[in-house]
Amino acid sequence: MARLDVIEMFHGIDFPGHLHTQDSLQLALKFPFQDTDILIVSYPKSGTTWMQEVISLILSRGDPHLSQTVPNWARAPWLEQHYCAAVLGASSTTPRVITTHLPHHLLGPALQGSKAKVIYVSRNPKDVAVSFYHFHKMANFLPDPGSFSEFLNQFLEGTLNYGSWFDHVKGWTGQLATMKNLLHIPYEEMSLDLHGAIKKVSSFLQCSLVEDEVNNCVKHCSFSSMKDNKMVNYTLIEEKIMDHSKGTFMRKGKVGDWTNHFTEEQNQYFESVFKSKMQGCTLEFVWEERDKEKTHG
Ligand code: PPS
């Protein structure tokens, strides 16, 4: 399914016509979750693939065999993409691991009453914007990003594919007080203490690991291991869909790369939009000391 120039507008949000159809999006909203399901939720470029790898490794108790032989999209398919039903139908593995970029206001009703375990991954939106910008250059199913400045404006307006980062983060993290089966893990926490993050996720999944198993998970989901793993670095995807001469999916894997892209003016504008859009959001994000100092005094 190429449909590289098709955009599917669904409930006011643009999705790439490559892999998304009106039917696949509609089906996702009525998905019959099982209580044993594990759902990874994120806005794009927030650490989705990393969490897919963390979970695969936790479930295999640190054994990398599956992660090194089965592509991430077949281990943890995107619920809203057209091949999801086929992937889930072909496997009888429990628990099922499913991924989604859908916002809570669309997917929330399908999860109502379900005990499926939901892991929400967030990331500093400035780093998300930078990562997404570079991804737009290589992903031929996404529009040409134009200049970084133009792209950043679209990010802040919420008009990019997959919608608004602000709505996404507010929508899902706003459920933390009431949804017992929801865990929020920031990318920065994984970056600062991957070992601790893996233990936190494994305990949430009620799959406790011994120290050696945790260490194996850490080893196989490090940036360098994943960068070399064809099953997660997207080099299996053909050139006309992802142009690998224009960038790499596993690009830098760093916290704070935004400082290499934002001008002071862009940073100030970003901060003002952030402040107004995140008003009323009580969640404290710990992104990075440098960022905190720079932007919050
Ligand atoms: S997508 O397209 O939405 O599935 O992208 P996603 O996986 O959410 O985000 C891709 C970014 O995550 C980085 N990444 C990692 N960083 C550190 N360690 C590990 N193991 C890791 N795996 C993926 C990846 O490099 C992208 O970030 P940038 O900043 O572009 O490097």
Side-chain angles (χ1 to χ4, degrees):
M1 178 172 195
R3 302 206 315 150
L4 297 177
D5 296 326
V6 179
I7 297 286
E8 292 289 359
M9 157 92 70
F10 184 70
H11 289 259
I13 300 176
D14 283 346
F15 291 88
H18 173 63
L19 301 182
H20 301 85
T21 63
Q22 289 295 323
D23 279 355
S24 71
L25 288 156
Q26 197 60 54
L27 275 173
L29 306 199
K30 297 193 197 109
F31 186 73
F33 283 99
Q34 296 173 4
D35 287 348
T36 49
D37 287 342
I38 298 170
L39 180 69
I40 302 167
V41 187
S42 63
Y43 187 83
K45 313 325 279 185
S46 302
T48 325
T49 319
W50 201 0
M51 187 54 77
Q52 288 173 326
E53 205 65 350
V54 163
I55 291 175
S56 286
L57 285 159
I58 288 174
L59 296 178
S60 66
R61 313 198 74 87
D63 179 346
H65 177 73
L66 208 64
S67 319
Q68 292 173 354
T69 49
V70 181
N72 62 319
W73 61 85
R75 281 183 266 135
W78 270 262
L79 184 62
E80 57 274 20
Q81 298 186 350
H82 76 93
Y83 65 87
C84 184
V87 170
L88 294 180
S91 160
S92 54
T93 315
T94 309
R96 304 186 297 186
V97 184
I98 303 165
T99 307
T100 186
H101 287 319
L102 289 175
H104 182 266
H105 71 272
L106 293 184
L107 196 58
L111 280 165
Q112 197 94 47
S114 160
K115 293 197 180 88
K117 293 191 166 61
V118 182
I119 299 183
Y120 188 71
V121 190
S122 69
R123 186 181 189 186
N124 184 342
K126 295 177 190 171
D127 284 336
V128 169
V130 168
S131 178
F132 211 9
Y133 173 68
H134 288 286
F135 189 58
H136 272 67
K137 290 194 192 172
M138 71 177 297
N140 288 333
F141 52 86
L142 290 169
D144 183 332
S147 69
F148 181 64
S149 197
E150 287 163 344
F151 184 83
L152 196 57
N153 282 335
Q154 283 180 273
F155 181 88
L156 292 171
E157 283 160 7
T159 51
L160 293 174
N161 275 243
Y162 303 97
S164 158
W165 179 91
F166 301 98
D167 292 348
H168 206 281
V169 170
K170 280 191 293 187
W172 282 103
T173 62
Q175 307 307 310
L176 282 165
T178 49
M179 245 175 106
K180 275 199 293 193
N181 49 343
L182 171 64
L183 177 72
H184 173 217
I185 295 258
Y187 176 101
E188 292 73 18
E189 188 177 326
M190 299 206 280
S191 183
L192 195 66
D193 177 12
L194 185 53
H195 191 276
I198 287 171
K199 282 174 85 164
K200 193 190 258 190
V201 174
S202 66
S203 134
F204 175 72
L205 298 180
Q206 291 165 324
C207 177
S208 356
L209 304 176
V210 298
E211 201 55 17
D212 269 1
E213 293 169 338
V214 178
N215 290 337
N216 279 336
C217 293
V218 171
K219 178 173 160 202
H220 295 293
C221 66
S222 67
F223 184 76
S224 56
S225 300
M226 286 179 61
K227 195 173 172 62
D228 290 341
N229 181 357
K230 276 190 165 57
M231 299 299 142
V232 288
N233 66 14
Y234 283 89
T235 51
L236 292 178
I237 302 293
E238 54 183 323
E239 208 72 12
K240 72 166 189 194
I241 293 170
M242 271 193 206
D243 189 342
H244 303 285
S245 70
K246 293 196 179 143
T248 45
F249 182 89
M250 301 288 299
R251 194 183 59 91
K252 281 197 180 172
K254 291 254 182 289
V255 167
D257 188 37
W258 67 269
T259 53
N260 299 315
H261 291 75
F262 279 53
T263 62
E264 193 49 48
E265 202 182 0
Q266 283 168 342
N267 189 36
Q268 275 174 16
Y269 181 58
F270 196 105
E271 281 297 314
S272 68
V273 175
F274 183 89
K275 209 168 162 191
S276 102
K277 295 228 188 211
M278 296 303 272
Q279 228 171 29
C281 176
T282 50
L283 199 69
E284 210 203 315
F285 294 98
V286 180
W287 283 317
E288 58 192 303
E289 287 315 310
R290 195 161 38 133
D291 186 16
K292 264 178 104 177
E293 279 163 23
K294 197 164 180 173
T295 57
H296 302 292

